[in-house]
């Protein structure tokens, strides 16, 4: 048999040979060719879920940090109307809270006003009484000291302008006497006794500190006690005008 | 069996080429019809390239998966059946080359098995011829199948199998020698019987 004949013989006999495959083959083929679309669907679902979650997160973020007009709590002369007009009307919770705040603010405002009136009254009273007191004291001092320098009304008026005494005539000796009068005033102050916190400090220091200029020196004026001198040895501050 | 055979014949009237469009659009019905039309024939091809039916079915399965996934590559050159057949053969070659790396020619020695049947040349059935081919050493079987039955050239075979053209020629002549010897043996036996 020739080579070609052999090949031909086999080809003719075999090439049309058919065998029925088992059902398993088609099932395997089917499952593997059906996978791609399933995967596609899953991928599509995943994309959708990613997109949805991003949307939810951004929406939540926007809702949380949404721009709202700041609640400015202030009271003007027209009362609380101005406040309520500025309150965020989107959030009812916030609105009720703000109305409470408004009520409280107006309450506070009323009490504050009442207090202010009281304070004003008291301060007026206090000033009056202080003036009266100082007037009295000066009068007492004047009479007690009975210095020979105070011979005319002019002298008195110069040294105690608060008395508001209109001098009847000018004295030529007033300038010369001024320094002596100043001293007398200082004496008068030291003899006034303890009237304020500054006086307490001054008293204590006068017992402890024997220097001419004390560690700290207070003097009384209209507004109360003020520091008029500090002596730290090296640093000395003295308000000469006050004396 | 008889019924399914008739069924197959009826289905063949729906030609393979009619199913091309549906398969290209991945229509499951068309895919199943195409498989039903060609599975038995293609398994007949696969059997020539394999030692047993299970191996043949594996080739058939992988081959058809390739057919369905690559069917859009088919440009209508020649018949669809011819193209599918080439895909199946290529799958068989791939399978062979994959196995070859594992087995490394251990097949050559135990490839021989005496055929126990006695039959005359005219009594020879296709099955017996198939058995002869399948019992060839695996590399001889590949070359003989591709050259004698598929009609590939030595150059094509050398490329497909990754061997030299010379090796292809020698393996072919060895395969022929074995087959001739077997045929004459059977003839002798049949004459003796």
């Amino acid at each position: 048999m020739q080579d070609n004949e052999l090949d031909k013989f086999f080809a003719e006999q075999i090439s049309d040979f058919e065998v029925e495959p088992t059902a398993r083959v088609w099932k395997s083929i089917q499952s593997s060719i059906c996978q791609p679309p399933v995967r596609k669907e899953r991928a599509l679902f995943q994309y959708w879920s990613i997109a949805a979650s991003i949307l939810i997160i951004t929406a939540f973020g926007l809702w949380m940090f949404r721009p709202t007009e700041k609640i400015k709590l202030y009271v003007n002369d027209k009362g609380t109307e101005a406040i309520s007009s500025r309150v965020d009307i989107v959030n009812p919770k916030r609105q009720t809270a703000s109305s409470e705040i408004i009520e409280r603010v107006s309450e506070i405002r009323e009490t504050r006003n009442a207090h202010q009136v009281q304070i004003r009254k008291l301060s007026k009273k206090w000033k009056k009484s202080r003036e009266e007191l100082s007037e009295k004291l000066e009068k007492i001092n004047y009479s007690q000291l009975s210095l020979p320098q105070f011979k005319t009304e002019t002298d008195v008026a110069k040294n105690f302008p608060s008395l508001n005494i209109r001098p009847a005539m000018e004295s030529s000796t007033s300038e010369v006497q001024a320094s002596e009068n100043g001293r007398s005033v200082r004496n008068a102050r030291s003899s006034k006794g303890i009237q304020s916190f500054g006086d307490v400090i001054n008293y204590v220091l006068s017992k402890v500190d024997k220097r001419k200029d004390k560690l700290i020196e207070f003097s009384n004026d209209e507004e109360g006690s003020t520091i008029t001198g500090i002596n730290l040895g090296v640093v000395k501050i003295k308000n000469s005008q006050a004396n | 069996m008889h019924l399914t055979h008739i069924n197959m014949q009826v289905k063949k009237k729906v030609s393979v080429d009619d199913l091309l469009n549906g398969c290209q659009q991945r229509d499951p019905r068309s895919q199943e019809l195409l498989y039903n039309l060609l599975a038995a024939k293609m398994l007949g091809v696969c059997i020539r390239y394999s030692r047993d039916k299970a191996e043949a079915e594996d080739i058939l399965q992988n081959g058809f998966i390739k057919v369905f996934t690559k069917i859009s590559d088919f440009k209508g050159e020649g018949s669809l059946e011819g193209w599918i057949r080439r895909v199946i053969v290529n799958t068989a070659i791939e399978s062979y080359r994959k196995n070859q790396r594992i087995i490394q020619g251990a097949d050559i020695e135990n490839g021989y098995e005496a055929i126990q049947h006695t039959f005359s040349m005219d009594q020879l059935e296709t099955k017996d011829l198939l058995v002869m081919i399948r019992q060839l050493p695996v590399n001889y079987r590949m070359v003989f199948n591709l050259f004698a039955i598929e009609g590939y050239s030595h150059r094509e075979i050398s490329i497909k199998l990754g061997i030299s053209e010379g090796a292809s020629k020698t393996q072919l002549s060895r395969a022929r020698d074995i087959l001739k010897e077997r045929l004459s043996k059977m003839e002798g036996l049949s004459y003796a019987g």
Side-chain angles (χ1 to χ4, degrees), chain A residues 186-199:
Chain A
R186 201 184 291 174
N187 290 342
R189 190 188 64 198
S190 58
S191 65
K192 267 179 195 171
I194 294 158
Q195 287 182 339
S196 63
F197 176 73
D199 291 334

Side-chain angles (χ1 to χ4, degrees), chain B residues 78-90:
Chain B
S79 69
L80 180 61
E81 193 182 320
W83 179 80
I84 291 166
R85 194 190 178 92
R86 281 198 294 282
V87 172
I88 298 288
V89 169
N90 283 335

Side-chain angles (χ1 to χ4, degrees), chain A residues 204-221:
Chain A
V204 172
L205 279 173
S206 69
K207 299 289 173 197
V208 180
D209 199 346
K210 296 295 177 192
R211 290 180 297 180
K212 193 193 169 208
D213 296 314
K214 309 296 179 200
L215 182 70
I216 192 156
E217 199 179 311
F218 288 88
S219 63
N220 293 319
D221 54 22

Side-chain angles (χ1 to χ4, degrees), chain A residues 7-223:
Chain A
D7 294 353
K8 212 181 170 186
F9 171 71
F10 270 94
E12 277 171 2
Q13 293 289 314
I14 284 168
S15 59
D16 290 331
F17 179 69
E18 290 184 14
V19 186
E20 204 62 43
T22 55
R24 162 194 83 87
V25 180
W26 173 242
K27 276 176 187 168
S28 316
I29 293 165
Q30 215 175 14
S31 65
S32 66
I33 60 171
C34 281
Q35 262 179 342
V38 170
R39 238 181 253 156
K40 250 185 191 173
E41 269 178 44
R42 201 177 294 162
L44 203 71
F45 171 74
Q46 278 170 351
Y47 282 127
W48 271 111
S49 63
I50 289 161
S53 52
I54 287 166
L55 198 76
I56 288 162
I57 288 161
T58 45
F60 183 72
L62 285 171
W63 185 79
M64 282 295 282
F65 304 104
R66 70 191 190 284
T68 50
E69 212 177 307
K70 275 187 180 176
I71 301 165
K72 291 171 186 170
L73 292 172
Y74 74 97
V75 181
N76 61 8
D77 295 333
K78 284 172 186 174
T80 56
E81 279 172 61
I83 297 165
S84 58
S85 67
R86 277 168 186 259
V87 169
D88 181 6
I89 54 157
V90 176
N91 195 339
K93 258 191 192 173
R94 203 174 278 183
Q95 205 171 5
T96 54
S98 55
S99 64
E100 276 171 33
I101 290 163
I102 290 157
E103 273 174 37
R104 281 196 65 189
V105 164
S106 55
E107 268 173 43
I108 289 160
R109 187 169 149 267
E110 276 166 30
T111 48
R112 192 196 62 184
N113 288 347
H115 280 245
Q116 274 178 343
V117 168
Q118 253 184 326
I119 286 161
R120 237 175 274 144
K121 275 181 189 170
L122 281 169
S123 63
K124 257 184 197 171
K125 236 184 188 177
W126 184 64
K127 209 177 175 183
K128 222 182 195 177
S129 60
R130 207 174 60 152
E131 272 169 11
E132 279 172 8
L133 201 73
S134 61
E135 214 176 299
K136 271 181 191 169
L137 270 168
E138 272 157 14
K139 268 182 187 170
I140 290 158
N141 284 344
Y142 183 70
S143 62
Q144 274 182 344
L145 283 166
S146 62
L147 288 165
Q149 285 89 348
F150 295 96
K151 277 170 181 169
T152 58
E153 279 182 353
T154 325
D155 290 334
V156 178
K158 266 185 185 171
N159 286 291
F160 304 103
S162 60
L163 289 170
N164 209 11
I165 298 161
R166 284 210 163 245
M169 52 177 276
E170 287 289 320
S171 173
S172 59
T173 56
S174 63
E175 274 179 56
V176 184
Q177 290 163 347
S179 63
E180 277 185 71
N181 294 343
R183 203 191 296 147
S184 71
V185 171
R186 201 184 291 174
N187 290 342
R189 190 188 64 198
S190 58
S191 65
K192 267 179 195 171
I194 294 158
Q195 287 182 339
S196 63
F197 176 73
D199 291 334
V200 175
I201 301 291
N202 283 344
Y203 178 78
V204 172
L205 279 173
S206 69
K207 299 289 173 197
V208 180
D209 199 346
K210 296 295 177 192
R211 290 180 297 180
K212 193 193 169 208
D213 296 314
K214 309 296 179 200
L215 182 70
I216 192 156
E217 199 179 311
F218 288 88
S219 63
N220 293 319
D221 54 22
E222 282 186 353
E223 291 150 40

Side-chain angles (χ1 to χ4, degrees), chain A residues 1-3 6-7 9-11 13-15 17-22 24-26 28-30 32-33, chain B residues 31-32 35 39-41 43-44 47-48 53 57 61 64-65 121 126 129-130 133 144 148 176 180 183:
Chain A
M1 195 187 259
Q2 290 289 304
D3 287 344
L6 182 90
D7 294 353
F9 171 71
F10 270 94
Q13 293 289 314
I14 284 168
S15 59
F17 179 69
E18 290 184 14
V19 186
E20 204 62 43
T22 55
R24 162 194 83 87
V25 180
W26 173 242
S28 316
I29 293 165
Q30 215 175 14
S32 66
I33 60 171
Chain B
Q31 285 174 335
E32 194 168 358
Y35 175 81
K41 206 181 230 178
L43 188 59
I47 275 171
R48 285 189 277 118
K53 203 186 172 187
E57 284 192 335
Q61 183 188 310
F64 262 101
I65 291 163
M121 193 69 170
T126 309
L129 293 176
L130 266 175
I133 290 172
F144 185 79
R176 279 170 177 161
K180 273 180 201 169
L183 281 171

Side-chain angles (χ1 to χ4, degrees), chain B residues 149-192:
Chain B
I149 297 155
E150 255 70 64
Y152 286 55
S153 69
H154 281 297
R155 196 179 147 67
E156 282 173 308
I157 293 164
S158 70
I159 294 161
K160 294 247 180 207
L161 300 183
I163 54 170
S164 68
E165 275 184 57
S168 176
K169 281 171 189 169
T170 18
Q171 283 175 19
L172 177 70
S173 65
R174 296 252 174 91
R176 279 170 177 161
D177 289 344
I178 292 163
L179 291 170
K180 273 180 201 169
E181 199 191 319
R182 288 206 171 178
L183 281 171
S184 60
K185 231 183 204 171
M186 278 187 269
E187 277 175 53
L189 281 168
S190 66
Y191 284 132

